Structures are given as structure tokens and as C-alpha cells.
Amino acid sequence: MDTSSPSAFVNGALLRRYIGQKVRTVIQVIGSDTGSVVGKSTDDLQIVVRGPSTTPPLTTYLEVIGIAESDNSIRAETWTNFGNTFDPQNYNELCKLASGEFKHLFI
Amino acid sequence: MQTASVTPDAISSVLSNPSFDSSSDRPEIVVQVVDLKPIGNRYTFGANDGKTKVKAMFTASLTPEIISGKIQNLCLIRLIDFTVNDISSKSTKYFLVTKCEAVGSVLDSEINLESKSQEEEEATTEPKRQKLEHSPVSDVKMDVSTGITLKPKQEFVSKSASQIMTEQRGNAAPAARMSMTRRVHPLVSLNPYQGNWTIKVRVTNKGVMRNYKNARGEGCVFNVELTDEEGTQIQATMFNDAARKFYDRFQLGKVYYISRGTLKLANKQFKTIQNDYEMTLNDNSEVEEASSEEMFIPETKFNFIPIEELGMYVNQKELIDLIGVVQSVSPTMSIRRRTDNEMIPKRDITLADESKKTVVVSLWNDLATGIGQELLDMADKSPVIAIKSLKVGDFQGVSLSTISRSNVVINPESPEAKKLKSWFDSEGKEVSMSSIGSGMSPLSKNGSRSMYTDRVLLSHITSNPSLGEEKPVFLSTRAYISFIKPDQTMWYQACKTCNKKVTEALDSGYWCEGCQKKYEECSLRYIMAVKVTDSSGETWISSFNDEAEKILGCSADELNKLRSEEGEVNEYQTKLKEATWSCHAFRVSVTQNEYNGEKRQRVTVKGVAPVDFAAETRLLLQDISNKTNNKASQLLF
């Protein structure tokens, strides 16, 4: 496993803390355009994902790993379809724990 | 041996030394309780030290001890904690007793260290505290100003109990034979400290005679449930000689006078009757049928729950009452009781009600053989039956079971029964109904609740060898199947109708003991030992048919076919391998079994469900938050 560039688990609110750094998050896809996807973060904030010009078919939930560009956008390097059933609350709690008291376990 | 008595001059010395601030400075004194009287919820009495009597009161906290008979009129008490207070309006003092203990045995009469009058004793079979109403108080006047009672000197004649009896009753026949003069005590007043009582009760339930064998030998035992006119119930047990003596005498529904039984605190483990005490009758006990008298027993009060609402009672302690139309009655089955390996009869009946749902009720023991047989005979007439005190279990979703105090009434004369019958006759007969249990899939409502309630790690089970000693403990856990032994006896030959084990008949076919029938074929049902593992440890568990099928993904019959197949690839081994290292959520019961004299823990699978990741994650998050909030809980990873 390549741990050379770890990505921090973020939700909408945590994204701003990692601007310029590698992050990962799961969003619920609201809409997509050529080269970008608009989604709802697990804490109900809007996030825009800029990615490759060809947008493959997307499922309801999408994981994005990339560099945080601003407090509400990510430049994606990888994205993965996470299917249609996903528990956003659980993921949200994970993000909070991973960047809070258990940060040392992650980065 | 010293017999307990009052501390001489105790009262006068206390009264003359009011300077003691707290009663802890005072030496402990023994006084006699006289003129015990209730005032509101507290009791007043006279504290007598043989010479002096002073007004006294017990605090309300001691009232239970008086009611239970620990403190009685004329008994001796050691005052451990008391204060001397003033009666505000008068200049008298009184003792307020907050803590005391009864000393020695209850005396016959007021202690008199000088010869003064004796209260005459009513030597009947009444409990002493009944004297509250009867004791002559008139000659004891409290001299208010000095707090010292002066009694006129009278002739003191001591009488024996039999002398007093003869005086009172002349040559009348002993009261035991004369039911008219028999003094009957309410069941609620019985206690272990007072032996002279007679009760008048109806036998509302009679158990079967059971033979037992334990370390001390063998014997037989049975018990009866007794109800008196006030509706109080108590269980009476008889062993060996007494059991044989009274078994035929006690008949269900008849009324008896009973005396000379002993009372003790009820064993909570086996208690089904609401009474702190239970009674034992021995050879000396008296049981006499009250043949010529009526006794009013309050009608059984039912509180019927519609079948469709049974879901919320599953696995709860609360017992429910049910009324329904009989749809079908099964033959008697014999089930082996885990605790003592005894075989007990069971019969399943299916009931339906206006909620258009059906439910299976298991009748046990006498209900299975007695009323159960009656129902079988009249099943085609679709009788209405009402059952009181049913336990609600989760077998097949919802299942009802009778317990020893359950009461079954066929075609009761009640408005609910009439309504049910007319519904059934008009539409119920034809309408299609569904079983209440089928609506409950393992992952819904009650099932899912039990996969996530009482969640533990395997180490919780293995580190506690006495878990499940008294009653089976139900837990849930998430674990991996780590090993299924390929060459174990994985299944048994089962009756296709009742699932009980069948034996091979000498000619072809199989004999089922429960159905009392021979069958051409049988089915195979799993009884599989499996090792499970989680991050904390591992343990063996046994799994029965339904759960094992879910784990292995095929029925025992199918697996048996694969096992005997020849070929390069042994499909049987493959199936086992596929099931190994699969993760499941288990509902298990932990019990204790005795094996060759040793106690062994036995873990049985009650339910199995696939891992629901979202639900498991929620559990983990909950645990993390509990841990970080410093609550005591296990961390599940």
C-alpha cells in the first residue's frame, strides 16, 4: 500500500482545513456537467469536483480523492462509484473522528 | 442458657438521664413491647421494663417489621437507636425508636417484675398480633405526668395454655373439627415467624407429581397454587410422604382448610406466583376439604391482546392473555427439558382472531395432555378459547407458551368470546389469514433489535465460565466462522412432521416417538458444532437446522448427498470451506450443562444474520463515544 501521500477524510466543513492538500470524501451526486460533478457532502454542504473531461456513469454516491482547491471544491485525481446504498451519517462521524481526537491514527 | 428479658430499671434510668444527646451514648436496653397499636402508618406501643412503662413509637421505617411479625406485641426488643422526645403539649416524654431488634421469643404476657395484673392470654390459633384488637387495655392507664404507669395490684395467677383453653371453651370439641368456629387467616398475613394459622383456599392450579434425583437422594414432589377469597395466591409444595398423602386429596377447583404448613421466602428463580413466600406442607400438615361451604373466588380477569399487537411483547417479562378461535391442534409431542433431562408433553394449537392473524400457542404439561386433548377432539367445531398468562417468545417471529400458572378456558361466557364467535361464523371462517410471525423477518423490528442488543465480544462469554448458570443468557455478537469439523455428526434423522429425532424401524421406515407414527422417509436436520472467532477470542457454538442452513447455504439433505459423492473435487469440503471465514451477526444463548459431573458452558445459536455494515458501524460509533465519555463499555473493533 502506497502511503507516501495520505489523504485526509473530509466532509464539507473540514475541506477548508486542507486547502492545497490531498483529501478524500464521499459525496452524493446532485448533478454532473462536462468535466465537473456537483455533489452534497455528508454534512449537507455543496462540493464541486473538477475532474477528467469524460464523465463516466455515476452512481448515487461517489468517492473522490484529490487536492482541495477551495473550501468547496476538489480537483479530483481518482474517483470511485460507491453505489446507491451508503450511510452518510456514519461517514460523517468518521471524518470528524479522523480529523479530531484520532487524527494520529490517520495522518 | 440465659433467657432474654428486659433490662431492669432501664426506662427509669433513661428518663432520669435526659442529658444523653444521642442514643448512641446510651447503653442498649431491652424492653418489652406492649399495647402495640397502629396510628396511621406508624405503630405506637408501651415500652415496659417490668417496672416502668413509657409511651413509645416506632418510626414508619419499622412498620414493615411489625407487619411481617418480626416485632409483635409482648415481644422483647433491644433498642439500638432511639431518642427521648417531649410530647409538646404535655410535659411527658416518649421514646421514638428508629432502630431495634427483636430478642428472644415472643412472651405470653406483659412482664411484671413485681406482682401486678396479668393479661389473660387467648390461647387460640390466632397470630399474636391479632391481640391488637382484643387485648384489654382498660386496666393500663398511662399516668401522663410522670410517664410511669401504675397498675393496681391484683391477684396473679399463672395459667397454662390448656387451662385457659378449657376455661374459655368448656368441654367443647377441639376447634379443628368445627369449621364454624375456625379462625381463617388471609393469605396475605402468613409469614415464617407465626406458625399457628389456618387458611381457606381454593386449589387454582395443581402440578404433576415429579420424581427427582439429586445429591441427597431421590424423591417425588408436586405443588399446588392456592388462592384465597381476597385473591392472594401462594404456592404450596409437598415432598415424598406428604406428596403421596396429599396428591389425591388436593383437587383442582376444590376448597380446603389448611394449617400447619411452613413458610419460607420464595425462590425467585422458580417463582411464577406473586408472593414473597412459598409454603411447604409436610406429614404433620392438615388439609381438610371444605365441602359444605361455598367460597367466592373472584372471576379470572382477562386482559386480551389482539394477535396483531403481540409483536411488542416478544421476549418481554410481561405475560399476556389471549382469546382466539382454534384453527388447528397438533398431536402431543415430547420435549426433553434441558435442566433435568425430563420429557415433558407439548401440544401446539393455532389460534386466529379478528385481526386476521394467526399465532401458535404451545401448551405444556397438563395443559397439553388434558385440555389439549379436549381441544383436539372438538377442533372441527372451531371453539373459542381464552388463555391467561402466556409467555411471548420469538420462535418463528412470535410464539406463545403456557407456564404453570396459565389458565385455559374453552368457550368462555364473555362478551369478547361472543363477538369473536360471531365474527368467525360470519366472515372469519372464509377469510385468508396470515401468521403473525411471518411478518417478522429476522432483520425487521424484533429480529434486528436482538442482533444489536446485548452485543458482546466473544471474550465476554469465554472469560465468564459461570455465565448462564441460573437462566440462559441471550447475547448478540459479530464473529467469523473459523472452523467446521468435516467429520462430525452434522445432522440427525428427523421426523418430517414434528422435527423430532426418529429411530430406524426394523422393517423399512422410521418411527417417530412424538407423533407415535411410522414414516416412510425422514429428513436430515443439522446439529452442527462450529468454531467462531473475533478479535477478542474464540469459542465453539452449536447450531441447529435453520441457522446452519443459512451459514452453509444448503440443506442437510443436500449436503449429505454431496458428502457421499465420489470425485476429484469433494463438493462437501468445498461447501464447508466456503462457509469458513464468513462473518455473521449471531444471536446466541449461553447456558450451563453438566457433563460427567463437570459444569460446561454451552453456546447455542438462536439466530444468524448477514453483517449489516451500516448498523455495525453505528454500533462502533456508539461504543467509541461511550468510551470517550468514560462510560464503562467494551470497545468493539
Side-chain angles (χ1 to χ4, degrees), chain B residues 200-461:
Chain B
K200 184 176 173 192
V201 286
R202 191 190 297 274
V203 174
T204 43
N205 217 324
K206 182 177 165 188
V208 289
M209 182 78 89
R210 281 201 316 271
N211 292 303
Y212 65 87
K213 223 188 263 192
N214 62 22
R216 284 172 286 181
E218 345 181 287
C220 58
V221 60
F222 84 103
N223 49 42
V224 288
E225 177 188 285
L226 306 170
T227 312
D228 73 354
E229 274 177 301
E230 292 179 11
T232 322
Q233 299 188 313
I234 194 166
Q235 176 172 292
T237 309
M238 285 137 281
F239 290 90
N240 301 318
D241 286 339
R244 285 183 274 266
K245 182 173 172 190
F246 294 124
Y247 188 74
D248 293 321
R249 200 181 300 185
F250 274 127
Q251 291 182 29
L252 185 61
K254 288 211 171 143
V255 181
Y256 299 88
Y257 288 105
I258 302 179
S259 43
R260 290 201 223 276
T262 49
L263 284 137
K264 62 177 207 265
L265 284 176
N267 187 336
K268 294 272 191 282
Q269 214 180 321
F270 300 113
K271 193 168 84 143
T272 48
I273 297 176
Q274 285 290 69
N275 198 317
D276 290 336
Y277 297 118
E278 57 182 13
M279 191 188 297
T280 310
L281 301 177
N282 56 36
D283 243 359
N284 297 325
S285 306
E286 287 172 8
V287 172
E288 200 183 298
E289 199 179 316
S291 46
S292 53
E293 291 155 53
E294 292 288 333
M295 177 157 93
F296 172 72
I297 287 283
E299 262 174 39
T300 336
K301 280 219 123 155
F302 287 99
N303 178 19
F304 297 120
I305 309 284
I307 294 179
E308 67 181 348
E309 289 178 24
L310 288 175
M312 63 181 119
Y313 294 90
V314 171
N315 286 334
Q316 303 298 314
K317 265 204 220 152
E318 190 180 342
L319 303 173
I320 60 116
D321 305 334
L322 191 83
I323 189 168
V325 181
V326 175
Q327 299 280 58
S328 67
V329 182
S330 81
T332 328
M333 299 170 253
S334 235
I335 307 286
R336 188 179 291 277
R337 189 182 10 222
R338 180 96 49 87
T339 45
D340 60 1
N341 272 338
E342 198 177 295
M343 302 300 283
I344 37 182
K346 170 174 111 127
R347 196 189 290 266
D348 284 340
I349 60 172
T350 310
L351 296 180
D353 72 2
E354 288 135 303
S355 63
K356 301 214 187 85
K357 291 263 187 245
T358 63
V359 69
V360 175
V361 179
S362 299
L363 306 172
W364 295 88
N365 287 312
D366 281 353
L367 290 173
T369 49
I371 277 216
Q373 184 64 44
E374 266 185 66
L375 288 173
L376 182 64
D377 297 333
M378 50 154 54
D380 52 344
K381 297 200 197 71
S382 306
V384 172
I385 68 168
I387 316 182
K388 184 151 184 72
S389 308
L390 283 166
K391 209 158 68 135
V392 189
D394 63 2
F395 181 66
Q396 298 195 324
V398 178
S399 66
L400 298 172
S401 256
T402 59
I403 55 173
S404 60
R405 62 189 263 221
S406 299
N407 199 4
V408 179
V409 186
I410 305 181
N411 286 326
E413 291 282 321
S414 77
E416 292 98 339
K418 286 199 188 56
K419 214 163 73 118
L420 198 58
K421 189 77 181 154
S422 61
W423 163 81
F424 186 72
D425 287 336
S426 55
E427 55 167 294
K429 261 195 295 209
E430 315 299 324
V431 84
S432 65
M433 295 191 259
S434 58
S435 151
I436 179 72
S438 63
M440 317 241 164
S441 67
L443 289 181
S444 77
K445 227 190 176 190
N446 296 308
S448 63
R449 209 181 59 197
S450 51
M451 281 304 171
Y452 302 104
T453 49
D454 319 302
R455 176 58 72 94
V456 296
L457 289 173
L458 290 179
S459 56
H460 174 94
I461 299 174

Side-chain angles (χ1 to χ4, degrees), chain B residues 159-225:
Chain B
K159 299 185 190 168
S160 72
S162 58
Q163 276 185 305
I164 297 173
M165 278 286 282
T166 329
E167 275 180 27
Q168 286 189 343
R169 310 187 59 247
N171 283 320
R177 304 281 180 270
M178 292 173 67
S179 39
M180 294 297 279
T181 57
R182 195 198 303 262
R183 185 62 180 265
V184 160
H185 300 90
L187 272 182
V188 77
S189 73
L190 294 183
N191 65 76
Y193 314 105
Q194 175 50 264
N196 292 328
W197 45 259
T198 302
I199 53 174
K200 184 176 173 192
V201 286
R202 191 190 297 274
V203 174
T204 43
N205 217 324
K206 182 177 165 188
V208 289
M209 182 78 89
R210 281 201 316 271
N211 292 303
Y212 65 87
K213 223 188 263 192
N214 62 22
R216 284 172 286 181
E218 345 181 287
C220 58
V221 60
F222 84 103
N223 49 42
V224 288
E225 177 188 285

